[in-house]
């Protein structure tokens, strides 16, 4: 298959951006310090945005910047200058939900491509045609549409289609949530979501105030708004055949480990399908990798049919993962046989670890010898970001992630 399919990865900060690119992303999306929906993320100031564009373009990849708030009048202050700035530094596209921002961008920064955000809740082919006529080059379809719907929308408008394939799901329609605003006066549609859907809730009957009933028989209450995470790995063939051009991974507020691991899995899956569509199947090692990162139980969302009660995660709010990210490889000394590491979590001699590499396979290892950066023998690396020489015979790629199985949780 000659068609190009984009793997689009989240970049909440510069470290995540660079790791996503190194682990196979074709493009990344990020936000400046205004006009995006992740105000609590570290995000990028203007100088960092320039650096990000230069880094991404130096690798032959693309970068999109979110301008997808639903603004009130006061939120528009400074927007014109910001759009002109994004155009001047060579951003490949901006992601827009609001018609006013869309209009202003066309007027003052005509060189910017316009991608219509999922917040615009595009769920049908007529709306897709509308956005194309207005000058959009891509539509990010709403998460409420099926793969069959996507196919119809693509055929009708022949515009680039982007669809979410992995990550956290919002319980509100196309992410337009009012819970955060109601409980905390922090507007999710203006970038200040408190993730109130992840909180613990009980049921109160109108005529019995103060009497709280758990939705399920659990003394801790319930998480009735807590969606499972999306995972469409097995539907990659269907998505591509439906006409999806960009497979989007959610998670700008997730970790470097998450950004790199999920990107690599979807990169390998897409490449595997494109190389031999007839024999594509989900590899067990891809599923294992997706269990290693922090996540909630997985769901297929609206991809095939409308989700039922099993799409919610009633029992708990916390994420689960099988492995911890404990070190980042900064180089390998072939003459002396050691990897040069930056510590990300405590590790010691005797630990069984593995290395996830940007392009090569997993490497398993038991730590038998390590030193500090001056060559002095040590048995433990307890200090955050300390430099360590870890002796291992297998050469490791730069930016490989050292991981260790999580310790079993203690029963309460």
């Amino acid at each position: 298959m000659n068609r190009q399919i984009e793997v689009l990865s989240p970049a909440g900060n510069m470290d995540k951006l660079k790791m996503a690119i190194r682990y196979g992303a074709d493009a990344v999306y990020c936000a400046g310090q205004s006009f995006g929906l992740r105000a609590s993320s570290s995000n990028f100031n203007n100088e960092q945005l320039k650096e990000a564009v230069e880094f991404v373009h130096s690798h032959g990849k693309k970068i999109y910047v979110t301008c997808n708030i639903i603004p009130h009048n006061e939120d528009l202050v400074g927007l014109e200058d910001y759009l002109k700035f994004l155009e001047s530094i060579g951003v490949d596209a901006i992601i827009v939900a609001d018609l006013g921002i869309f209009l202003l961008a066309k007027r003052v920064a005509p060189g910017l491509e316009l991608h219509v955000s999922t917040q615009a809740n595009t769920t049908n082919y007529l709306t897709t045609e509308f956005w194309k006529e207005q000058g959009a080059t891509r539509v990010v379809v709403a998460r409420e549409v099926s793969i069959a719907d996507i196919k119809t929308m693509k055929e009708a408008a022949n515009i680039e289609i982007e669809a979410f394939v992995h990550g956290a799901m919002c319980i509100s329609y196309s992410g337009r949530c009012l819970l955060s605003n109601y409980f905390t006066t922090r507007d999710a549609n203006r970038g200040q979501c408190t993730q109130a859907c992840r909180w613990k809730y009980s049921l109160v009957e109108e005529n019995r105030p103060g009497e709280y009933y758990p939705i399920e028989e659990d003394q801790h209450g319930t998480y009735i708004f807590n969606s499972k995470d999306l995972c469409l790995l097995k539907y990659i063939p269907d998505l591509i055949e439906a006409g999806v051009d960009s497979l989007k991974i959610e998670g700008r507020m997730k970790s470097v480990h998450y950004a790199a691991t999920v990107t690599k899995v979807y990169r390998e899956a897409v490449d595997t399908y494109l190389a031999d569509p007839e024999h594509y199947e989900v590899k067990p090692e891809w599923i294992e990798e997706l269990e290693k990162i922090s996540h909630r139980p997985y769901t297929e969302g609206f991809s095939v049919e409308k989700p039922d009660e099993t799409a919610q995660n009633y029992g708990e709010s916390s994420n689960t993962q099988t492995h911890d990210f404990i070190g980042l490889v900064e180089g390998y000394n072939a003459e002396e046989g050691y990897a040069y590491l930056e510590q990300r979590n405590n590790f010691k001699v005797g630990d069984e670890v593995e290395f996830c590499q940007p392009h090569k396979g997993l490497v398993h290892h038991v730590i038998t010898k390590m030193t500090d950066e001056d060559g002095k023998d040590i048995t433990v690396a307890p200090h955050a970001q300390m430099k360590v020489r870890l002796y291992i015979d297998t050469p490791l790629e730069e930016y490989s992630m050292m991981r260790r199985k999580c310790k079993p949780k203690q029963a309460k």
Side-chain angles (χ1 to χ4, degrees), residues 27 57 76 82 148 159 176 202 261 279 335:
H57 287 175
L76 298 175
Y82 182 63
I159 190 174
R176 292 186 172 220
S202 293
T261 301
H279 298 97
E335 284 188 16

Side-chain angles (χ1 to χ4, degrees), residues 66-363:
T66 61
C67 297
N68 56 344
I69 63 168
I70 310 299
H72 291 237
N73 289 329
E74 61 268 26
D75 298 318
L76 298 175
V77 176
L79 176 60
E80 181 173 336
D81 289 340
Y82 182 63
L83 293 172
K84 290 178 179 178
F85 166 74
L86 294 179
E87 181 184 36
S88 73
I89 64 174
V91 167
D92 293 287
I94 57 172
I95 304 171
V96 179
D98 178 71
L99 281 165
I101 295 179
F102 190 97
L103 176 66
L104 184 63
K106 287 179 64 177
R107 183 184 300 160
V108 304
L112 283 175
E113 286 195 14
L114 297 171
H115 294 180
V116 179
S117 171
T118 190
Q119 298 291 125
N121 55 283
T122 302
T123 58
N124 63 76
Y125 67 88
L126 287 176
T127 306
T128 311
E129 288 179 337
F130 167 83
W131 284 117
K132 183 178 181 180
E133 290 178 4
Q134 299 311 305
T137 57
R138 176 182 295 186
V139 169
V140 187
V141 295
R143 300 189 202 194
E144 293 80 17
V145 301
S146 67
I147 295 173
D149 287 336
I150 291 174
K151 187 174 189 296
T152 302
M153 294 160 75
K154 177 71 174 185
E155 290 172 347
N158 193 26
I159 190 174
E160 286 187 13
I161 296 290
E162 179 178 307
F164 280 92
V165 295
H166 195 93
M169 296 278 282
C170 180
I171 66 156
S172 295
Y173 198 78
S174 292
R176 292 186 172 220
C177 182
L178 295 176
L179 281 178
S180 179
N181 207 348
Y182 178 80
F183 286 123
T184 68
T185 69
R186 293 175 58 183
D187 192 343
N189 300 305
R190 297 162 80 183
Q192 300 175 26
C193 181
T194 57
Q195 294 196 322
C197 56
R198 310 302 188 197
W199 300 351
K200 184 168 64 178
Y201 293 89
S202 293
L203 182 67
V204 178
E205 201 276 324
E206 182 179 12
N207 296 318
R208 294 176 175 82
E211 295 185 34
Y212 298 93
Y213 303 94
I215 306 301
E216 289 193 334
E217 295 298 324
D218 185 332
Q219 69 272 26
H220 301 298
T222 189
Y223 302 91
I224 57 175
F225 304 130
N226 197 6
S227 174
K228 294 180 179 179
D229 284 359
L230 184 68
C231 179
L232 297 186
L233 200 59
K234 76 176 184 178
Y235 291 110
I236 282 178
D238 305 87
L239 289 160
I240 293 175
E241 294 305 319
V244 173
D245 300 281
S246 180
L247 304 175
K248 188 170 194 173
I249 299 165
E250 183 278 338
R252 278 187 287 142
M253 296 179 70
K254 299 287 184 68
S255 67
V256 166
H257 181 210
Y258 174 97
T261 301
V262 180
T263 297
K264 184 178 182 183
V265 167
Y266 280 87
R267 167 83 282 141
E268 291 183 359
V270 169
D271 290 348
T272 297
Y273 174 74
L274 295 178
D276 187 5
E278 292 184 10
H279 298 97
Y280 177 84
E281 60 181 21
V282 176
K283 296 181 180 180
E285 55 265 36
W286 297 340
I287 301 299
E288 290 176 11
E289 284 295 297
L290 295 180
E291 292 296 332
K292 291 175 182 178
I293 50 108
S294 178
H295 69 285
R296 294 177 177 84
Y298 290 123
T299 178
E300 297 168 359
F302 293 81
S303 57
V304 177
E305 57 188 6
K306 291 183 179 180
D308 57 18
E309 69 279 0
T310 63
Q312 298 300 97
N313 185 22
Y314 299 113
E316 60 181 347
S317 178
S318 60
N319 289 2
T320 183
Q321 65 189 82
T322 63
H323 286 65
D324 289 322
F325 172 36
I326 60 175
L328 182 67
V329 174
E330 295 185 335
Y332 183 81
N333 187 316
E335 284 188 16
E336 299 185 43
Y338 67 78
Y340 195 53
L341 292 176
E342 180 182 82
Q343 189 259 37
R344 295 298 178 94
N345 206 328
N346 184 301
F347 58 87
K348 62 185 183 300
V349 169
D351 281 348
E352 295 182 16
V353 298
E354 66 179 31
F355 294 89
C356 176
Q357 304 185 88
H359 304 102
K360 298 179 181 178
L362 280 178
V363 173

